[in-house]
Amino acid sequence: MSKRRRTCVAVIFGGRSVEHDVSIVTGHQIMGAFPADLYEVVPVYISRDGAWFTGDPLLDLDNFANKGLLRLEGVASCLLSPDTRHHGLIVNPLAGRFSKSDVKRIDVAFPALHGTHGEDGSLQGLLELADIPYVGYATLGSALTNDKTMTKMVLRQADVPVLDDFVFSRESWLNHPDQVLEEIQQRLAFPLFIKPATLGSSIGISRAESLPLLRAGIDIAANFDRRIMVEPAIADGIEINCSVIGFGGEYQASTLEQPLSWDDFLSYEDKYLRGDEGMKSAERIIPAPINDELTQRLQQLSLRAFQAVDGRGIARIDFLVRPEQGEIYLNEINTMPGSLALYLWREEGLSPSQLVQRLVDLAREAHAEKRRNMYDYQTNLVSVASQRGIKGSKGAKS
Ligand SMILES: Nc1ncnc2c1ncn2[C@@H]1O[C@H](COP(=O)(O)OP(=O)(O)O)[C@@H](O)[C@H]1O
Ligand SMILES: [Mg+2]
C-alpha cells in the first residue's frame, strides 16, 4: 500500500533574543505535539548569537542542557534560503572538500521564537521571500504587536480600551532628561510603569512611585530599547489572558486564564489551597474567576483586537482588569504565546496535537490566500528602455 507523504514542518526555535531559553521549551512542546505518522518534524535551532543548526539531536530537549550541543554528531549548520527554488533549508551551506551541502525542502515553517528576531516580523520577512507557508502572524502584524506603543495606537482606532502612554527615545533621555521627566509628569500621574517599547518576559520593566524611581526605571529600560514607554500603573487590578486562533473569516476565543504574580500567588495559596490537594497548577486560575458578562466582554475584545492587528494563526491577548470598577485595558498581544497557550485550548477540547495541526492548516490557508495577489506584471518596459537607452546611464543614447 502506498503511504501518503508526510507533511514536512520545520520548527524554528532559540533565537537572538532575551527569550531564547523560553523559546527552546516552546519549540520542544510544539515538536512533541505532531503525530509522527502524518508529519516529519525538522528542528531548526538558532543559537544565542544567531547561528543556524538542524539535525535529529535537536529534537531531544536533554541535549540542550549539554554545552557541547553544537558539536554533537548529526547536528549540521543550515540556513533558510530566500531563493524560492530551494523552498527550504540549505544544510551544510559552506561544504568543503570532505562534505557536501544539501537542500532540505519543507512544506510549512513553524516559528516558535519569542521576542526580537523571531516574533517581530524579521523571520516572517525571510519566509515571505522564500514563499514558504508559515504559522502565525505575517510581517506587518508581527512587527506591530512586537511594539507595545504602536499596538496601542492601532487598538485605539479599533475602539479597544488601552492605557494612555508617553513615548520618547533613548536619545532624548540622554540629551534632555529633565525635559523628558517634566513632560511625563505633565501627562501622567504616579504610580507609573516604565517599559522598553519592544521587549518581553518583563525584562527592563519597572514600576515607579516617585521621581527618583522613575529616573532609575528609565535608565534601566534605556539599556534594552531605543524607544521607551511610560504608562499609569493599575492598582488593585488583576491580569486576564485570552488566546485567539483563526484566519480569514473565522476566529475563536479561548477560555480565559488569570495568571498569578508572585504576590497573588501567595495570597491565592492562603485563600484556596492551603490544606487542600497542594499547589499543583497555582501559576494560573483557569477559567479566570470573573463573571460571565465580563468573560464575554473580554473574549469579544480579544477577537476585535486580533483582527485589528491583522492577526493570523494564534495569539494570547493580555488584559489588566479592575472587575469591580468595570475597567478593562488591553495590555499586550503576544503572537507567539509561551507554550502556545496549549493549556487554554485544552479547555476548549483542542489537544496539543489538534492545535498544532490546526495552525499548520491556517498557515497553508494564509499562503493560498496570498497567492491570489498578482506578483508578475509583464510589460514591454525593458525592451523599450533598451532600444531608447536610459538617460544618465553609461552608454545611453540620448
Ligand atoms: N500599567 C500597568 N499596571 C499594572 N501592572 C502592569 C502594568 N503594565 C504591566 N504590568 C505588570 O507587569 C507585567 C509585565 O508587563 P508586560 O507589559 O506584560 O510586559 P512583558 O512583555 O514583559 O510581558 C504584567 O504582566 C503586569 O503584571
Ligand atoms: Mg506580558
Side-chain angles (χ1 to χ4, degrees):
M1 217 171 74
S2 76
K3 225 170 126 188
R4 214 187 100 199
R5 192 180 75 86
R6 296 188 298 169
T7 300
C8 179
V9 178
V11 178
I12 309 171
F13 58 94
R16 211 146 56 82
S17 149
V18 294
E19 294 170 275
H20 178 94
D21 295 348
V22 190
S23 164
I24 294 177
V25 176
T26 303
H28 280 81
Q29 285 174 306
I30 293 168
M31 293 192 292
F34 281 102
D37 54 334
L38 298 176
Y39 294 84
E40 176 195 355
V41 173
V42 175
V44 177
Y45 169 64
I46 305 176
S47 71
R48 280 171 212 283
D49 46 4
W52 289 54
F53 299 93
T54 190
D56 286 346
L58 302 176
L59 290 165
D60 186 351
L61 188 56
D62 290 343
N63 284 334
F64 285 81
N66 162 0
K67 286 216 176 87
L69 169 73
L70 307 175
R71 285 189 297 275
L72 279 183
E73 179 104 14
V75 174
S77 281
C78 71
L79 53 85
L80 184 83
S81 172
D83 189 324
T84 55
R85 290 171 304 180
H86 298 136
H87 210 272
L89 301 171
I90 300 185
V91 182
N92 207 4
L94 295 176
R97 216 181 334 160
F98 302 108
S99 56
K100 66 189 217 3
S101 56
D102 232 338
V103 173
K104 175 67 187 162
R105 293 184 71 83
I106 59 182
D107 297 312
V108 177
F110 200 137
L113 296 141
H114 303 297
T116 37
H117 307 123
E119 202 176 345
D120 63 358
S122 43
L123 178 65
Q124 289 73 13
L126 177 56
L127 290 162
E128 290 288 343
L129 289 176
D131 200 25
I132 297 172
Y134 58 94
V135 170
Y137 279 46
T139 321
L140 172 71
S142 298
L144 177 67
T145 52
N146 187 58
D147 186 300
K148 293 185 162 89
T149 127
M150 294 288 184
T151 304
K152 285 204 220 171
M153 284 186 207
V154 171
L155 292 179
R156 284 186 193 108
Q157 291 289 318
D159 285 328
V160 175
V162 292
L163 288 166
D164 286 340
D165 57 20
F166 180 69
V167 187
F168 52 94
S169 67
R170 173 159 56 203
E171 192 189 23
S172 57
W173 173 243
L174 296 176
N175 293 330
H176 324 281
D178 292 332
Q179 198 178 317
V180 170
L181 292 172
E182 184 61 39
E183 279 188 82
I184 293 171
Q185 291 175 94
Q186 266 169 24
R187 285 158 208 253
L188 305 168
F190 286 105
L192 296 169
F193 255 85
I194 306 115
K195 309 180 181 181
T198 62
L199 249 62
S201 290
S202 298
I203 290 160
I205 296 186
S206 56
R207 186 177 190 277
E209 305 270 355
S210 62
L211 197 54
L213 288 175
L214 176 60
R215 268 181 200 279
I218 298 174
D219 280 335
I220 293 169
N223 286 321
F224 293 99
D225 203 346
R226 197 171 56 80
R227 290 163 59 254
I228 299 148
M229 179 180 90
V230 178
E231 68 180 16
I234 293 299
D236 331 311
I238 57 172
E239 292 177 62
I240 306 281
N241 302 341
C242 176
S243 181
V244 174
I245 50 177
F247 175 70
E250 256 180 68
Y251 302 92
Q252 190 185 349
S254 74
T255 305
L256 305 185
E257 67 165 327
Q258 180 186 354
L260 298 177
S261 66
W262 186 242
D263 295 350
D264 297 330
F265 180 75
L266 295 178
S267 58
Y268 178 72
E269 180 198 17
D270 284 345
K271 275 192 211 149
Y272 307 104
L273 291 175
R274 192 143 287 164
D276 210 357
E277 56 167 317
M279 294 297 297
K280 267 190 214 153
S281 59
E283 277 170 45
R284 45 179 66 98
I285 311 175
I286 302 175
I290 51 173
N291 66 36
D292 290 351
E293 195 189 330
L294 189 53
T295 298
Q296 279 161 24
R297 173 103 183 100
L298 288 167
Q299 286 171 329
Q300 279 162 7
L301 285 172
S302 298
L303 292 170
R304 193 194 298 169
F306 188 88
Q307 291 170 73
V309 297
D310 191 28
R312 56 184 70 184
I314 188 164
R316 197 194 68 225
I317 316 237
D318 298 354
F319 295 90
L320 296 164
V321 180
R322 299 175 79 199
E324 265 102 76
Q325 292 79 357
E327 284 177 34
I328 297 174
Y329 304 99
L330 193 153
N331 181 40
E332 61 163 345
I333 299 179
N334 300 285
T335 57
M336 184 38 65
S339 302
L340 260 195
L342 293 167
Y343 50 89
L344 293 178
W345 291 105
R346 210 180 263 126
E347 298 290 309
E348 298 290 328
L350 217 54
S351 69
S353 162
Q354 287 168 321
L355 178 63
V356 295
Q357 293 183 69
R358 174 103 187 89
L359 291 174
V360 165
D361 292 344
L362 290 172
R364 291 184 136 156
E365 259 176 56
H367 187 257
E369 214 282 333
K370 191 185 170 197
R371 281 270 154 100
R372 297 171 71 176
N373 297 348
M374 208 161 68
Y375 294 104
D376 196 11
Y377 186 66
Q378 308 263 354
T379 68
N380 61 354
L381 180 68
V382 176
S383 49
V384 169
S386 130
Q387 277 162 23
R388 288 196 195 147
I390 300 170
K391 231 184 183 171
S393 75
K394 236 185 182 175
K397 320 163 200 155
S398 54

